[in-house]
Structures are given as structure tokens and as C-alpha cells.
Amino acid sequence: MSLTTRAPSPFAASSANGNCPHDLVLRSSDNVDFHVHKTVLFLNTPKSFHTVDDPASQSNASEASDNLHAGLPVARVKEPSAVLRRLLLLCYPQPIPSSAIDVLDHIHLVYRAAHAYNMRRVCDIIRSTLLSRIDADPYRVFAVACSLTLPDTARAAAVGTLKNPNALCSGEYEVSEFSLISGLCLTALCRFRNQCVHASCVAVDRHRYVANCPSDEATAAFGDLCWWSTKGHSRGCGATVAGTGRDCTLKSTGWFKLHMARVYDAVRDTPCSTAAAAAVLDYTACLPCISRCNLCVADAPKQLQVLAGILRTDVDAQVHTVAERWRF
Ligand SMILES: [Zn+2]
Ligand SMILES: [Zn+2]
């Protein structure tokens, strides 16, 4: 009696593969037999598998009605069947239907196995898979990449986590892959986020305050944005100049000041360029004020569009600068 079980398709011993018969059995650590082709393994790994003629497989086959694979050499491997199956699927040319499986499940073990067998192509595929999953699962990819010491992937995933509001400590983003990494990796992620918040807030602040007006280059940089203009507004609207000489400062029109305070809060919560741009474009709360001024009605919507684009670029650049300094 055999204590082994057969792996499901496409690694089962089956007459469906009669035109290209399996010539090797890989037996997982939990005794599942995977019927494979030596050539496919040879194309993926320089390592050879030490085989033994397996008496169990021979006696089993003689009893079974299906004896196509009788007497195949058997190689024991140390991977469990769940990992071996994923590894072998990546070795074969047909793509895995990604909808059918959770591609991140066990992926760190599959990568370690691929690395141990020196399967470069498979390692490349797994690294691309991790990158492609950052949008959907940044915390899981971060943890997996940290555990595998893939610093570039970990950094990209850390940037990917920024698009979520800050709730890491609430456990909202807790993923099982956190068990793969140390507390140091998680606190590093928190510190990285804090630095990105600070840098993004700096980017917002550049558009909130203008000092030393009116000849100063900062004023010139803002050009003719309506909220920085002292002229042409209806009564009660428009930028104002306070002080004289070197102490002179320009203050933006009231609705813009309140609006940028909300943008600042949004970026402090979610330090990413998408959140920054969305906050700039969400100016419904300002509409009552804007609608009372002909200049602002005419100019504010399109100029806020411009500001959203500028801030998107600025926040991206700030986050990029912070991320470059990190190695997770
Ligand atoms: Zn902020
Ligand atoms: Zn106005």
C-alpha cells in the first residue's frame, strides 16, 4: 500500500499526456507525487534531481488500472505540495490563470524554492508578479519583499501604501504576511510614511504662503493666479497686502486659504499625489464664496486644475526623494 497521493492536473499521471509522457516523479515533503517532464525542469534549473527507483510506485502501478507511469524514477524534494505545485506551474510555459489562485499566497516560499534551485526565469516572474500586485495589495507585497530582501520591490510597495489613509495602527491593513517580517520593518514603514507626510505638507505649504511681497520671486512664480491677485475682484474678495517694505506679506483671498487648509489636512492623512490633486479639485465648499466674485468665477476652476497638476508633480517628487533614501 502506498502512502503517497497524486497531485492534481496538470501533474497527475494521466493518459491525456500520452503524446508527451511524463518521465519523472517529484515527491513533495508531504508525499504528493507530481508527474513532470525532465526537459521542462532542465530548461528552468541547472540543478539535477537525485532519483531513486521507487518500489512503492512500481507495486502501486502494477495494482492500479492506470499503469502508464509505472516505474518512473522518483526524486524527493523538501518543498511541501502547495509550494511545489506553484513552483512547477511557473516552470511550465502555460500561464497560470491568475483569477483561479491567490497569486501572493505562499509566494515567499515559492520564491525561496526557486532561488534554491537557481530558477532565474521563475524568480524573474515572481518579482514581476510582486510589482504588479502593489496597487491591489501594497501591504502584503511590502511584507513579502522585506522577508525576501528585495529592497527595490519593498520600496515601491511602501510608496504604494501611501495611497491609503493612515490607519496602520488600527489594524485595518493587517495582513497575514506581517508574520514574515520583524517589528523593525513595520516601524520603518511608519517612519517612512511620517517623512512622506512631512514632505508632502511642505509641497502644499509652498502654494499656501507667500512672504516678502510684492517684488519677491515667489510672487512672480504664482503669476496671475486669481487667489494671489489683489486687483479685479468683487468687494470682499481678493488677495491682501499686509505691512510695508521688507515686512510686507501677501495673503491669498479668503476662500483659497480655507481650501488649502483642507488640502493640507488631506495630504497629512494620505500623502500621495492622487490625494493631493483630488483635494485641490474638490472645491465645492468654496463655491458659495467663488460665486460672489466675477473674477474668481471666471478664473478659479481652470486655475485650480493647473494647481492640481502642479501639486501632483510636486508631491510625487517629494515622495520620490524620501523613498530614495530608504532601504527596507
Ligand atoms: Zn499635509
Ligand atoms: Zn475673487
Side-chain angles (χ1 to χ4, degrees), residues 14 16 27 30 33 36 40 52 57 59 65 111 151 165 182 191 219 222 229 232 239 243 253 255 268 286:
S14 153
R27 181 165 297 163
D30 50 347
D33 281 355
V36 296
V40 173
V52 290
S57 134
S59 63
S65 57
Y111 186 85
S182 76
R191 286 191 293 131
T219 318
F222 287 116
S229 161
T253 192
W255 66 260
R268 194 172 49 195
C286 310

Side-chain angles (χ1 to χ4, degrees), residues 104 130-141 160 163-164:
L104 293 181
L130 286 172
L131 287 173
S132 73
R133 295 296 301 176
I134 285 176
D135 262 358
D137 278 315
Y139 292 96
R140 295 180 72 190
V141 174
K163 72 179 194 301
N164 293 315

